[in-house]
Amino acid sequence: MADNYLERKMEEYRSGKLSARVKSGVSRSLPKGKIAVDFPPRTVILAAAAIGPVCRAVVKSFIDAGCRVALVSASHKEATELARSFGARFYPVAGFSPASLDSVLDSVVEDVTSHWNIPDTFISVSDGKDAEANNVFLTMDYRGFEQTPGTLRIINIMTGEGCDAQGISLNGLPGCSYALLVPDAGDGHASETAALCLYLCQPCGRFFSGLTVSV
Protein backbone atom coordinates (compact mmCIF):
# COMPACT_ATOMS: atom_id res chain seq x y z
CA MET A 1 0.00 0.00 0.00
CA ALA A 2 2.87 2.35 0.76
CA ASP A 3 4.25 1.80 -2.71
CA ASN A 4 0.86 2.57 -4.29
CA TYR A 5 0.53 5.75 -2.21
CA LEU A 6 3.96 6.98 -3.27
CA GLU A 7 3.25 6.16 -6.90
CA ARG A 8 -0.01 8.18 -6.77
CA LYS A 9 1.75 11.16 -5.21
CA MET A 10 4.52 11.02 -7.78
CA GLU A 11 1.94 10.91 -10.56
CA GLU A 12 0.10 13.92 -9.05
CA TYR A 13 3.40 15.77 -8.79
CA ARG A 14 4.27 15.03 -12.45
CA SER A 15 0.83 16.14 -13.61
CA GLY A 16 1.08 19.41 -11.66
CA LYS A 17 -1.79 18.70 -9.28
CA LEU A 18 0.33 19.12 -6.16
CA SER A 19 1.82 22.37 -7.44
CA ALA A 20 -1.66 23.74 -8.11
CA ARG A 21 -2.74 22.96 -4.56
CA VAL A 22 0.22 24.75 -3.08
CA LYS A 23 -0.29 27.74 -5.33
CA SER A 24 -3.98 28.03 -4.49
CA GLY A 25 -3.15 28.06 -0.80
CA VAL A 26 -0.99 31.18 -1.06
CA SER A 27 -2.78 34.36 -0.04
CA ARG A 28 -1.63 37.94 -0.37
CA SER A 29 -2.58 40.42 2.32
CA LEU A 30 -1.21 43.33 0.25
CA PRO A 31 -1.53 44.05 -3.47
CA LYS A 32 1.57 43.99 -5.64
CA GLY A 33 3.66 47.11 -5.32
CA LYS A 34 2.81 47.59 -1.62
CA ILE A 35 4.89 46.77 1.45
CA ALA A 36 4.10 46.65 5.15
CA VAL A 37 6.48 47.80 7.87
CA ASP A 38 6.35 47.77 11.66
CA PHE A 39 5.48 51.20 13.02
CA PRO A 40 5.29 51.37 16.82
CA PRO A 41 2.62 53.96 17.75
CA ARG A 42 4.19 57.25 18.80
CA THR A 43 3.13 60.13 21.03
CA VAL A 44 3.59 63.29 18.98
CA ILE A 45 3.63 66.98 19.86
CA LEU A 46 3.30 69.14 16.75
CA ALA A 47 3.85 72.88 17.04
CA ALA A 48 2.73 75.12 14.17
CA ALA A 49 2.46 78.89 14.13
CA ALA A 50 -0.10 78.65 11.31
CA ILE A 51 -2.20 75.73 10.06
CA GLY A 52 -1.49 74.95 6.40
CA PRO A 53 -1.49 71.91 4.09
CA VAL A 54 1.75 70.51 5.54
CA CYS A 55 0.46 70.66 9.10
CA ARG A 56 -2.84 69.04 8.14
CA ALA A 57 -1.12 66.25 6.20
CA VAL A 58 1.29 65.48 9.04
CA VAL A 59 -1.46 65.32 11.67
CA LYS A 60 -3.63 63.07 9.49
CA SER A 61 -0.77 60.73 8.56
CA PHE A 62 0.34 60.14 12.14
CA ILE A 63 -3.18 59.60 13.46
CA ASP A 64 -3.95 57.24 10.57
CA ALA A 65 -0.81 55.32 11.60
CA GLY A 66 -2.20 54.82 15.11
CA CYS A 67 -0.30 57.63 16.83
CA ARG A 68 -1.56 60.21 19.32
CA VAL A 69 -1.02 63.82 18.34
CA ALA A 70 -1.06 66.97 20.46
CA LEU A 71 -1.27 70.18 18.44
CA VAL A 72 0.21 73.46 19.72
CA SER A 73 -0.67 76.51 17.64
CA ALA A 74 -1.38 80.22 17.69
CA SER A 75 -4.04 79.78 14.97
CA HIS A 76 -6.81 78.87 17.38
CA LYS A 77 -9.77 78.51 15.00
CA GLU A 78 -7.95 76.46 12.35
CA ALA A 79 -6.16 74.30 14.93
CA THR A 80 -9.41 73.58 16.78
CA GLU A 81 -11.06 72.41 13.55
CA LEU A 82 -8.04 70.27 12.64
CA ALA A 83 -7.93 68.65 16.07
CA ARG A 84 -11.65 67.86 15.98
CA SER A 85 -11.42 66.43 12.47
CA PHE A 86 -8.79 63.83 13.35
CA GLY A 87 -9.04 63.34 17.11
CA ALA A 88 -5.95 65.29 18.15
CA ARG A 89 -5.60 67.33 21.35
CA PHE A 90 -5.23 71.07 20.87
CA TYR A 91 -3.25 73.38 23.15
CA PRO A 92 -3.52 77.09 22.28
CA VAL A 93 -0.55 79.41 22.58
CA ALA A 94 -0.55 83.20 22.41
CA GLY A 95 2.39 83.41 20.00
CA PHE A 96 5.59 81.76 18.94
CA SER A 97 8.03 83.89 20.85
CA PRO A 98 10.45 82.14 23.24
CA ALA A 99 8.50 83.44 26.26
CA SER A 100 5.11 82.25 24.95
CA LEU A 101 6.29 78.79 24.01
CA ASP A 102 8.37 78.21 27.13
CA SER A 103 5.36 78.92 29.32
CA VAL A 104 3.17 76.44 27.44
CA LEU A 105 5.31 73.55 26.23
CA ASP A 106 6.31 72.33 29.69
CA SER A 107 2.67 72.07 30.71
CA VAL A 108 1.79 70.44 27.36
CA VAL A 109 4.43 67.75 27.86
CA GLU A 110 3.17 67.13 31.40
CA ASP A 111 -0.47 66.94 30.33
CA VAL A 112 0.26 64.70 27.33
CA THR A 113 2.26 62.36 29.57
CA SER A 114 -0.58 62.13 32.10
CA HIS A 115 -3.21 61.38 29.44
CA TRP A 116 -1.25 59.25 26.99
CA ASN A 117 2.44 58.57 27.43
CA ILE A 118 5.81 60.33 27.52
CA PRO A 119 6.04 62.14 24.17
CA ASP A 120 8.70 60.68 21.91
CA THR A 121 8.23 62.88 18.84
CA PHE A 122 8.36 66.65 18.40
CA ILE A 123 7.53 68.18 15.02
CA SER A 124 7.56 71.89 14.28
CA VAL A 125 6.07 73.50 11.17
CA SER A 126 6.99 77.10 10.51
CA ASP A 127 7.49 79.63 7.74
CA GLY A 128 11.11 79.84 6.69
CA LYS A 129 10.98 83.62 7.12
CA ASP A 130 10.01 83.34 10.79
CA ALA A 131 13.50 83.21 12.27
CA GLU A 132 12.27 83.74 15.83
CA ALA A 133 10.02 80.67 15.82
CA ASN A 134 12.66 78.55 14.15
CA ASN A 135 15.25 79.52 16.74
CA VAL A 136 12.86 78.54 19.52
CA PHE A 137 12.43 75.04 18.13
CA LEU A 138 16.14 74.57 17.62
CA THR A 139 17.09 75.72 21.11
CA MET A 140 14.48 73.88 23.18
CA ASP A 141 15.83 71.60 25.89
CA TYR A 142 13.12 68.94 25.31
CA ARG A 143 12.94 68.03 28.98
CA GLY A 144 10.17 65.56 29.64
CA PHE A 145 10.48 63.90 26.23
CA GLU A 146 11.40 60.24 25.84
CA GLN A 147 15.15 59.82 26.22
CA THR A 148 15.50 56.10 25.38
CA PRO A 149 18.43 55.87 22.92
CA GLY A 150 17.24 55.83 19.31
CA THR A 151 13.61 56.62 20.22
CA LEU A 152 13.23 60.40 20.36
CA ARG A 153 12.54 62.12 17.03
CA ILE A 154 12.76 65.88 16.43
CA ILE A 155 11.65 67.09 13.00
CA ASN A 156 11.88 70.78 12.09
CA ILE A 157 9.81 71.57 8.97
CA MET A 158 10.34 74.93 7.30
CA THR A 159 7.98 75.96 4.50
CA GLY A 160 7.77 78.76 1.97
CA GLU A 161 9.71 80.10 -0.95
CA GLY A 162 13.42 80.39 -0.29
CA CYS A 163 13.49 78.23 2.83
CA ASP A 164 15.74 75.70 1.07
CA ALA A 165 18.44 78.34 0.81
CA GLN A 166 18.72 78.61 4.57
CA GLY A 167 21.23 76.71 6.62
CA ILE A 168 19.88 74.83 9.65
CA SER A 169 22.13 73.55 12.40
CA LEU A 170 20.87 70.46 14.21
CA ASN A 171 23.91 70.25 16.44
CA GLY A 172 23.14 69.81 20.11
CA LEU A 173 19.59 68.50 19.69
CA PRO A 174 18.88 65.30 21.62
CA GLY A 175 17.72 62.06 20.06
CA CYS A 176 17.44 61.80 16.28
CA SER A 177 16.84 65.15 14.61
CA TYR A 178 16.00 66.20 11.06
CA ALA A 179 15.25 69.32 9.03
CA LEU A 180 12.78 69.22 6.14
CA LEU A 181 12.66 72.20 3.78
CA VAL A 182 9.46 72.56 1.74
CA PRO A 183 9.64 75.53 -0.68
CA ASP A 184 6.29 74.57 -2.26
CA ALA A 185 3.89 73.76 0.58
CA GLY A 186 0.99 72.77 -1.69
CA ASP A 187 -1.10 69.65 -1.15
CA GLY A 188 1.16 67.36 -3.21
CA HIS A 189 4.33 68.33 -1.39
CA ALA A 190 2.42 68.27 1.91
CA SER A 191 1.58 64.59 1.42
CA GLU A 192 5.18 63.78 0.54
CA THR A 193 6.42 65.66 3.59
CA ALA A 194 4.03 63.78 5.87
CA ALA A 195 5.10 60.44 4.39
CA LEU A 196 8.76 61.34 4.94
CA CYS A 197 8.03 62.22 8.58
CA LEU A 198 6.49 58.79 9.09
CA TYR A 199 9.48 57.12 7.47
CA LEU A 200 11.95 58.98 9.68
CA CYS A 201 9.95 57.95 12.76
CA GLN A 202 10.28 54.25 11.95
CA PRO A 203 12.96 52.38 13.93
CA CYS A 204 15.30 52.48 10.91
CA GLY A 205 14.97 56.27 10.79
CA ARG A 206 17.62 56.59 13.50
CA PHE A 207 20.26 55.86 10.85
CA PHE A 208 19.46 59.19 9.14
CA SER A 209 19.78 61.43 12.19
CA GLY A 210 21.09 64.89 11.26
CA LEU A 211 19.52 64.74 7.81
CA THR A 212 18.52 67.99 6.08
CA VAL A 213 16.49 67.49 2.93
CA SER A 214 14.51 69.64 0.51
CA VAL A 215 11.14 68.10 -0.31
Side-chain angles (χ1 to χ4, degrees):
M1 294 181 62
D3 291 342
N4 292 338
Y5 174 81
L6 291 175
E7 288 178 3
R8 286 199 306 274
K9 289 301 179 184
M10 287 300 296
E11 182 60 32
E12 290 177 355
Y13 177 77
R14 294 190 192 97
S15 64
K17 292 181 180 179
L18 287 182
S19 298
R21 290 176 186 171
V22 173
K23 184 176 181 180
S24 63
V26 175
S27 62
R28 292 183 178 274
S29 58
L30 291 171
K32 291 182 179 180
K34 301 290 184 180
I35 63 172
V37 296
D38 290 333
F39 189 82
R42 305 185 69 86
T43 301
V44 182
I45 293 180
L46 188 151
I51 304 299
V54 170
C55 186
R56 293 188 182 92
V58 171
V59 170
K60 181 180 186 302
S61 293
F62 274 88
I63 290 181
D64 286 348
C67 301
R68 290 164 169 162
V69 178
L71 179 61
V72 179
S73 180
S75 299
H76 298 178
K77 180 180 178 181
E78 294 84 355
T80 298
E81 293 175 353
L82 177 60
R84 287 176 177 172
S85 297
F86 298 108
R89 295 179 71 87
F90 170 51
Y91 298 86
V93 62
F96 269 59
S97 66
S100 296
L101 285 176
D102 284 345
S103 65
V104 170
L105 284 176
D106 282 347
S107 60
V108 171
V109 171
E110 183 178 349
D111 192 63
V112 167
T113 300
S114 66
H115 283 89
W116 293 337
N117 204 346
I118 298 174
D120 54 19
T121 307
F122 180 82
I123 301 174
S124 65
V125 183
S126 61
D127 190 300
K129 298 177 182 178
D130 192 350
E132 186 176 36
N134 294 326
N135 289 334
V136 171
F137 299 139
L138 295 173
T139 58
M140 285 176 54
D141 60 13
Y142 297 95
R143 59 183 178 271
F145 283 77
E146 180 60 65
Q147 298 296 325
T148 302
T151 300
L152 178 59
R153 298 290 191 273
I154 300 172
I155 303 176
N156 180 247
I157 303 173
M158 295 174 62
T159 65
E161 185 178 353
C163 71
D164 53 344
Q166 299 190 32
I168 298 179
S169 174
L170 299 175
N171 294 333
L173 292 181
C176 300
S177 56
Y178 319 89
L180 307 184
L181 310 176
V182 192
D184 179 0
D187 291 338
H189 286 85
S191 298
E192 293 175 348
T193 303
L196 182 55
C197 288
L198 283 176
Y199 177 79
L200 294 174
C201 286
Q202 293 178 36
C204 63
R206 68 185 186 276
F207 298 116
F208 302 98
S209 180
L211 177 72
T212 296
V213 61
S214 180
V215 179

